[in-house]
């Protein structure tokens, strides 16, 4: 079907005719997009063993600390979204308040974060599906690639049809997934409370104290590092800014979603971590939720939980693809990246080229991972940078929010608390997490993460020279008490 270029609006510098479909997403849809991107089910499956290994039964406390830090960062997003809401909102925030070069670099950082996270998701979902439907074929590399590619094609096809269909699909998947995992959690809690079997630990309020961390405060901090990476991705609604029913909804939803995801994951850990000894959980680290389900009920229930995990992986893959496509769309609208990324399908009003690019790169990375032993370790290193990039990106936006609103931070107690204290606490906590994670992070991962974090700067300089886009002439703005708090919405 023919594509049309994107529309122009406030904060945009391109001259275009058609854009994304307006008024397609409300607050509920934003909440679905956010918790889909965090993917508590998949994230818990991947990190429970490591988190318990670091913090022991004090893991719920580590999760609460990490969630509180994320919530502080989300306050910065909420404030900035009230000023400017668009598909590439963070790019516009930083370009207009600091520098278009750094704004462009922030857009590249978001893309790198989405791509590295999805490379990890794609490399896992093929073998995860095969372990459920054909356990004897989990080492079959061609079949693993085919299964992962089919899943990716399916979620891309749904995303192409439109954001309403995408949100509806993710909503129904989440409903089924949470019914299954909720059943597992409640069943697990009842078993923890009533069972006297060897290896089962009764839940206790003392799990929310440092006393249950194996290495005391050091173990708790190690757990906070892992928990921070577990909870990343709540900013997804920000990139649906062009498709909102109300400009304020993305900012509201990130506050609601990170609060919900934190409490939900804490609930899961309280209900499940006492079902088996830490050594048994560690031995089943790659499929810990189906393993715990198997300790409670028949194999059919364990398989149902495994299906819920697969569903969580599939929808978070889709969410990362959608996020990346919207960032590309917004940057193409500003003529800073190739124009095809800013064209939308006439019928579905979606950026098809961006969706294809975001879906294709992880699939190609998986192919290289499977066929080349020399490239396998490199792909693993790239995948491992996702958590660091998430944390670094949240730090950048939190500190930028403080910078942009600097003229009013001491005006009253509310501005001081919401504009300075909370974003600063969130950013400082994440910086501490990044620093503390460095000793245990392989040197190649550190180098790759640093390169991906900074690569946007030279790319911005090249883009400015090649495209000569008006975006790079954006004049710096400074927030004042007299300035309007809500700008015209980008279209």
């Amino acid at each position: 079907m023919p594509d049309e270029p994107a529309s122009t609006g406030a904060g945009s510098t391109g001259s275009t005719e058609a854009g994304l479909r307006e008024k397609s997403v409300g607050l509920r849809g934003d909440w679905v997009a956010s918790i889909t991107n965090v993917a508590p089910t998949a994230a818990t499956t991947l990190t429970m063993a490591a988190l318990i290994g670091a913090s022991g039964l004090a893991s719920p406390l580590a999760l609460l600390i990490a969630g509180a830090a994320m919530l502080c960062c989300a306050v910065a997003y909420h404030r900035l979204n009230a000023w400017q809401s668009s598909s590439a909102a963070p790019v516009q925030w930083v370009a207009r308040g600091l520098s278009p070069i750094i704004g462009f670099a922030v857009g590249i950082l978001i893309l790198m974060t989405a791509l590295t996270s999805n490379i990890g998701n794609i490399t896992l979902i093929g073998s995860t599906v095969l372990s459920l439907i054909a356990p004897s074929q989990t080492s079959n590399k061609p079949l693993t690639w085919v299964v992962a590619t089919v899943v990716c094609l399916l979620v891309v096809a749904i995303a192409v049809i439109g954001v309403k269909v995408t949100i509806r699909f993710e909503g129904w998947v989440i409903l089924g997934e949470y019914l299954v995992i909720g059943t597992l959690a409640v069943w697990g809690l009842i078993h923890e409370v009533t069972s006297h079997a060897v290896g089962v630990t009764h839940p206790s309020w003392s799990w929310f104290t440092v006393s249950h961390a194996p290495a005391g405060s050091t173990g708790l901090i190690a757990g906070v590092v892992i928990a921070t990476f577990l909870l990343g991705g709540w900013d997804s609604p920000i990139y649906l800014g062009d498709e909102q029913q109300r400009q304020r909804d993305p900012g509201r939803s990130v506050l609601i979603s990170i609060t919900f995801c934190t409490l939900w994951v804490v609930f899961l850990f309280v209900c499940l971590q006492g079902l088996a000894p830490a050594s048994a959980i560690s031995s089943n680290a790659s499929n810990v939720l189906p393993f715990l389900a198997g300790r409670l009920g028949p194999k059919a229930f364990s398989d149902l939980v495994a299906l819920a995990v697969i569903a969580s992986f599939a929808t978070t893959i889709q969410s990362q693809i959608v996020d990346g496509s919207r960032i590309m769309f917004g940057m193409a609208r500003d003529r800073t990246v190739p124009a095809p990324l800013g064209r939308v399908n006439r019928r579905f009003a979606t950026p098809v080229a961006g969706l294809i690019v975001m879906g294709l790169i992880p699939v190609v990375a998986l192919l290289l991972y499977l066929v080349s032993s020399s490239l396998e370790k490199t792909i693993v290193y790239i995948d491992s940078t996702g958590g660091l990039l998430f944390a670094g990106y949240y730090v950048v936006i939190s500190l930028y929010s403080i910078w942009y609103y600097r003229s009013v931070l001491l005006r009253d107690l509310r501005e001081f608390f919401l504009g300075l204290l909370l974003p600063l606490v969130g950013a400082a906590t994440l910086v501490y997490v990044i620093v503390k994670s460095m000793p245990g992070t392989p040197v190649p991962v550190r180098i790759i993460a640093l390169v991906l974090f900074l690569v946007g700067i030279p790319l911005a300089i090249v883009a400015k020279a090649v495209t000569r886009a008006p975006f790079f002439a954006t004049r710096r703005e400074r927030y004042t008490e007299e300035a309007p708090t809500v700008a015209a919405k980008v279209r």
Side-chain angles (χ1 to χ4, degrees), residues 130-151:
L130 288 176
S131 67
L132 177 63
I133 63 175
S136 63
Q137 298 297 316
T138 52
S139 59
N140 187 325
K141 291 183 177 181
L143 187 57
T144 298
W145 184 82
V146 168
V147 171
T149 301
V150 168
V151 172

Side-chain angles (χ1 to χ4, degrees), residues 47-360:
T47 60
M48 176 176 272
L51 187 50
I52 292 175
S55 295
L57 294 175
S59 294
L61 176 60
L63 286 161
L64 278 179
I65 294 171
M70 292 289 196
L71 180 60
C72 290
C73 293
V75 170
Y77 280 77
H78 172 70
R79 287 168 63 84
L80 290 168
N81 179 81
W83 165 44
Q84 170 87 52
S85 178
S86 72
S87 55
V91 178
Q92 291 292 333
W93 296 341
V94 179
R96 294 172 62 183
L98 186 60
S99 161
I101 292 290
I102 301 177
F104 180 96
V106 165
I108 297 299
L109 175 58
I110 297 169
L111 289 175
M112 293 299 103
T113 305
L115 285 170
T116 54
S117 298
N118 246 4
I119 287 171
N121 293 330
I122 287 290
T123 56
L124 288 168
I125 195 166
S127 57
T128 304
V129 172
L130 288 176
S131 67
L132 177 63
I133 63 175
S136 63
Q137 298 297 316
T138 52
S139 59
N140 187 325
K141 291 183 177 181
L143 187 57
T144 298
W145 184 82
V146 168
V147 171
T149 301
V150 168
V151 172
C152 194
L153 286 174
L154 175 63
V155 296
V156 168
I158 294 171
V160 166
I161 295 173
V163 70
K164 281 187 175 181
V165 174
T166 300
I167 295 294
R168 192 174 297 123
F169 167 72
E170 292 173 353
W172 281 110
V173 170
I174 285 172
L175 178 60
E177 171 195 333
Y178 277 58
L179 283 174
V180 172
I181 300 303
T183 301
L184 170 65
V186 172
W187 194 349
L189 182 61
I190 293 172
H191 189 73
E192 285 178 343
V193 171
T194 60
S195 175
H196 298 284
V198 176
V200 176
T201 304
H202 291 249
S204 168
W205 286 110
S206 63
W207 288 359
F208 292 91
T209 65
V210 183
S211 62
H212 276 285
S217 59
T218 302
L220 179 65
I221 291 169
V224 172
V225 172
I226 299 168
T228 299
F229 300 154
L230 185 159
L231 291 168
W234 43 264
D235 52 308
S236 184
I238 298 295
Y239 315 117
L240 301 177
D242 281 358
E243 297 154 288
Q244 293 296 317
Q245 295 176 2
R246 293 170 295 274
Q247 177 175 328
R248 63 178 182 171
D249 283 350
R252 295 167 64 199
S253 70
V254 295
L255 298 175
I256 296 169
S257 300
I258 186 56
T259 302
F260 169 81
C261 288
T262 299
L263 296 178
W264 175 251
V265 175
V266 168
F267 174 68
L268 292 183
F269 270 74
V270 169
C271 294
L272 300 176
Q273 68 176 7
L275 290 178
S279 58
I281 290 176
S282 179
S283 299
N284 293 273
S286 62
N287 65 337
V288 65
L289 292 187
F291 161 70
L292 294 175
R295 292 176 68 89
L296 295 173
K299 185 178 184 303
F301 181 61
S302 178
D303 289 345
L304 190 61
V305 170
L307 185 61
V309 173
I310 292 169
S312 182
F313 271 121
T315 51
T316 195
I317 287 171
Q318 182 182 62
S319 183
Q320 295 282 4
I321 289 171
V322 170
D323 289 354
S325 72
R326 268 45 178 191
I327 285 288
M328 290 179 179
F329 169 83
M331 296 176 75
R333 176 170 52 195
D334 289 329
R335 301 180 182 175
T336 59
V337 298
L341 297 173
R343 295 188 184 131
V344 297
N345 182 275
R346 182 189 299 274
R347 178 178 177 184
F348 300 122
T350 51
V352 176
L355 291 168
I356 292 173
V357 169
M358 289 299 297
L360 184 62

Side-chain angles (χ1 to χ4, degrees), residues 104 334-338 460-472:
F104 180 96
D334 289 329
R335 301 180 182 175
T336 59
V337 298
I461 295 171
V462 171
K464 179 179 180 180
V466 172
T467 66
R468 300 183 183 276
F471 168 86
F472 291 107

Side-chain angles (χ1 to χ4, degrees), residues 371-441:
V371 303
S372 173
S373 57
S374 60
L375 288 173
E376 179 179 345
K377 188 170 289 187
T378 301
I379 300 297
V380 171
Y381 286 151
I382 293 173
D383 167 33
S384 300
T385 64
L388 290 173
L389 294 179
F390 263 124
Y393 165 52
Y394 294 149
V395 168
V396 168
I397 297 300
S398 297
L399 294 180
Y400 170 75
S401 176
I402 295 172
W403 165 261
Y404 181 70
Y405 291 107
R406 64 192 182 279
S407 62
V408 296
L409 295 180
L410 301 179
R411 185 180 65 184
D412 54 41
L413 186 60
R414 181 179 183 275
E415 284 294 336
F416 175 78
F417 187 71
L418 296 178
L420 175 61
L421 185 59
L422 292 185
L424 186 60
V425 168
T429 302
L430 293 187
V431 168
Y432 185 73
V433 162
I434 292 170
V435 171
K436 280 301 201 178
S437 71
M438 286 296 104
T441 303

Side-chain angles (χ1 to χ4, degrees), residues 3-45:
D3 291 341
E4 295 180 351
S7 64
T8 302
S12 180
T13 54
S15 177
T16 52
E17 299 171 4
L20 303 174
R21 185 156 290 150
E22 299 180 5
K23 302 187 182 301
S24 296
V25 185
L27 183 61
R28 184 174 60 181
D30 285 327
W31 177 75
V32 168
S34 184
I35 65 172
T36 296
N37 212 23
V38 176
T41 300
T44 299
T45 301

